[in-house]
């Protein structure tokens, strides 16, 4: 039994009414891609998530992965669940049919990962990183590398890792010291990597590590980094596995959360050097790695959505069952379920609104990624890619913060029972935190937003989206009094975002420290306003369906109510974020380092 129910109705609504599924389907090569097919995929994915992955979530947390005699043992049920995952074809959904993929849109894969993350985040980290590795080899690998590795990586028979971080080089990849020395057609890799998710496990017979390293004559800094394929077992030309490569897991970390996901310390070249194969050209590894990182950052943002959903469902179920205190209205002295108490409702509605708005933003971004890859018009593809580039750090940063906020509220709804591990609410809070840290901390995402995404085109992509969000005002006005509060809050939020954008663009030219001091509240400002815009669109779509007598009345009315709550309670945060984003660095930097 599981306390998780796949939110299929909201997933379908986000994909088809907000993320452009029909437009994406019209650009595809699969004539059979339809909403009916989407429904079937989500229904089957929901069954796998609720029936297989969700029941293992608590087991994974309590047992964890263990390193025994140099081998990592995953928790009970993990290997069988992964076998079913591969046999079900779930790993292959978005990939090229030439290598065994199903060629379906990233929007569909994103919806499925929403299910996987929500039902069992620790399990899902394994296929998430394989997905990123497949993308890197597909885009930058040689024909022979694609032929040798992709089919089994696409199927999930082999998994992939991203290996960037070193003890002295966390997010500062300019400090990478792992060495790669040419040896015939290959390279010998020596060095150590840390914080490697699923760097070793017992789910598959082989792993394909994507490793950043330096050749002897490489330039200093990030311009001297190359990317290498380092398989756990050498793959022979006929596809069979050869000798064990000189790469080992020497330990796994004891962590706050995601206990079932083995976070490995990896050693390369303790004997003769691990054999690695150059991907693309020397010294371009960081550019190649960003393909993997952007893919992973979207999926990490989905982790925040998944945790928001899962913790919300658990808290709501508890609140409906927990009887305590009389209702504050009326004369009945009998205690009622705590779901009747306004402050508990405030927390539950906050969790629900964060989950739905985060889902909408992640799906919308995935939809734009599909348009960037599938649209026949070059200008349309370029505009969609610019939108994706702008939104990736926002999805990663804002959605993961929402996940932590929702999980925190989930513990609070449970009261003292939430602080007890037995109820399971605390696991979501512990698991959620890592999503704000890995694949670039949220502070790094904010710096990327103002330093690369905003400044590189003079704010053109940001202003294009701001204009589009402002254009919704007319439709909200036509929606009447039901949309009035949401309309007003969105208008104020868009104005605040525009003002902060203009200020940051100016400060980036004159005082970069002032701009950097506002980066994180600026990212939050984007998340709240973009999330509010999508919730407003959702409310209008739900109202149109209600007026037309289409769909499920209860679902549509709840969608409107949740959007109204977002407008009343969450969108107003935009005004304070704007003030914080434009406050400058003076008070941040006023105290001497040694006095902090």
């Amino acid at each position: 039994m599981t306390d998780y129910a796949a939110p299929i109705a909201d997933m379908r609504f986000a994909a088809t009414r907000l993320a452009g599924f029909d437009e994406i389907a019209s650009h595809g090569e699969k004539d059979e891609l339809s909403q009916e097919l989407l429904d079937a995929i989500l229904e089957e994915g929901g069954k796998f998530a609720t029936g297989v992955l969700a029941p293992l979530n608590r087991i994974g947390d309590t047992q964890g992965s263990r390193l025994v005699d140099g081998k990592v043992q995953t928790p009970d049920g993990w290997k069988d669940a992964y076998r079913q995952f591969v046999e079900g074809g779930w790993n292959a959904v978005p990939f090229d049919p030439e290598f065994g993929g199903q060629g379906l849109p990233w929007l569909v894969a994103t919806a499925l990962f929403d299910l996987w993350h929500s039902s069992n985040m620790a399990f899902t980290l394994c296929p998430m990183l394989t997905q990123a590795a497949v993308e890197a080899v597909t885009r930058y690998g040689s024909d022979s590398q694609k032929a040798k590795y992709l089919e089994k990586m696409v199927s999930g028979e082999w998994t992939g890792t991203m290996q960037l971080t070193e003890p002295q080089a966390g997010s500062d990849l300019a400090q990478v010291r792992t060495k790669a020395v040419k040896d015939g057609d290959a390279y010998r890799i020596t060095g150590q990597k840390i914080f490697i998710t699923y760097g070793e496990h017992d789910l598959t017979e082989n792993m394909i590590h994507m490793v950043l390293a330096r050749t002897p004559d490489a330039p200093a800094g990030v311009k001297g980094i190359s990317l290498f394929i380092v398989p756990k077992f050498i793959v022979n030309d006929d596809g069979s596995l050869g000798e064990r490569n000189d790469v080992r897991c020497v330990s796994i970390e004891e962590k706050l959360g995601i206990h079932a996901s083995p976070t490995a310390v990896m050693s390369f070249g303790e004997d003769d050097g691990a054999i690695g194969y150059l991907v693309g050209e020397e010294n371009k590894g960081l550019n190649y790695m960003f393909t993997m990182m952007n893919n992973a950052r979207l999926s990490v943002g989905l982790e925040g959505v998944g945790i928001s959903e899962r913790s919300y469902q658990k808290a709501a179920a508890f609140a409906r069952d927990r009887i305590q205190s009389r209702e504050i209205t009326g004369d009945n002295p009998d205690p009622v379920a705590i779901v009747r108490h306004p402050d508990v409702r405030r927390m539950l509605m906050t969790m629900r609104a964060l989950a739905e708005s985060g889902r909408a933003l992640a799906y919308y971004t995935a939809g734009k990624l599909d348009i960037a890859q599938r649209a026949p018009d070059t200008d349309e593809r370029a505009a969609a890619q610019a939108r994706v580039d702008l939104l990736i750090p926002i999805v990663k940063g804002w959605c993961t913060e929402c996940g932590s906020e929702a999980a925190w509220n989930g513990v609070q709804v449970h009261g003292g029972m939430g602080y007890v591990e037995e109820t399971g609410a605390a696991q979501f809070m512990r698991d959620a935190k890592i999503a704000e840290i890995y694949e670039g901390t949220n502070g790094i995402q904010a710096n990327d937003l103002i330093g690369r995404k905003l400044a590189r085109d003079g704010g053109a992509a940001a202003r294009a989206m701001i204009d589009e969000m402002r254009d919704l005002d007319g439709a909200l006005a036509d929606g009447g009094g039901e949309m009035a509060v949401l309309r007003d809050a969105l208008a104020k939020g868009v104005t605040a975002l525009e003002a902060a954008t203009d200020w940051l663009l100016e400060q980036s030219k004159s005082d970069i420290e002032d701009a950097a001091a506002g980066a994180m509240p600026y990212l939050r400002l984007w998340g709240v306003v973009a999330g509010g815009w999508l919730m407003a669109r959702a409310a209008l779509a739900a109202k149109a369906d209600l007026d037309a007598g289409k769909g499920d009345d209860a679902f549509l009315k709840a969608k409107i109510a949740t959007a109204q709550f977002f407008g009343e309670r969450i969108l107003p945060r935009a005004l304070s974020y704007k003030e914080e984003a434009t406050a400058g660095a003076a008070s941040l930097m006023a105290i001497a380092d040694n006095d902090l």
Side-chain angles (χ1 to χ4, degrees), residues 56 93 194 237 301 322 438 442 477 494:
L56 294 175
V93 167
I194 63 172
D237 290 339
R322 175 66 165 167
Y438 55 22
N442 286 357
V494 171

Side-chain angles (χ1 to χ4, degrees), residues 151-170:
E151 184 174 342
K152 290 194 174 181
M153 293 175 71
V154 164
S155 72
E157 293 175 73
W158 297 345
T159 59
T161 69
M162 294 170 58
Q163 306 224 9
L164 292 71
T165 307
E166 299 179 5
Q168 80 292 339

Side-chain angles (χ1 to χ4, degrees), residues 367-516:
K368 288 298 182 183
L369 179 60
D370 284 318
I371 292 170
Q373 296 179 355
R374 293 169 176 256
D377 181 76
T378 302
D379 291 340
E380 185 181 2
R381 290 200 303 271
Q385 187 60 55
R387 183 67 55 88
V388 170
D389 293 342
L390 173 70
L391 289 177
I392 285 289
I394 299 164
V395 171
K396 195 281 184 185
W398 185 67
C399 290
T400 56
E401 284 202 340
C402 289
S404 286
E405 180 179 350
W408 184 93
N409 274 313
V411 171
Q412 194 73 11
V413 168
H414 282 76
M417 296 301 294
Y419 202 68
V420 176
E421 288 288 354
E422 180 183 348
T423 64
Q427 180 189 347
F428 303 130
M429 190 168 70
R430 289 186 286 100
D431 286 352
K433 188 59 188 177
I434 188 58
E436 298 180 63
I437 297 171
Y438 55 22
E439 302 309 329
T441 66
N442 286 357
I444 289 173
Q445 304 306 311
N447 286 336
D448 176 57
L449 177 61
I450 66 165
R452 292 190 182 95
K453 308 305 170 57
L454 186 62
R456 72 180 180 186
D457 65 357
R463 290 194 175 105
M465 187 165 179
I466 288 170
D467 289 344
E468 186 174 344
M469 291 190 290
R470 181 173 280 123
D471 286 344
L472 192 66
D473 185 73
L476 289 170
D478 293 340
E482 195 174 18
M483 301 292 164
V485 173
L486 186 53
R487 178 194 177 198
D488 181 65
L490 182 60
K492 290 176 179 177
V494 171
T495 298
L497 178 60
E498 184 175 48
T501 299
D502 292 342
W503 187 88
L504 283 164
L505 284 168
E506 285 301 314
Q507 294 306 117
S508 295
K509 300 173 186 176
S510 59
D511 193 333
I512 191 63
E513 190 171 62
D514 274 353

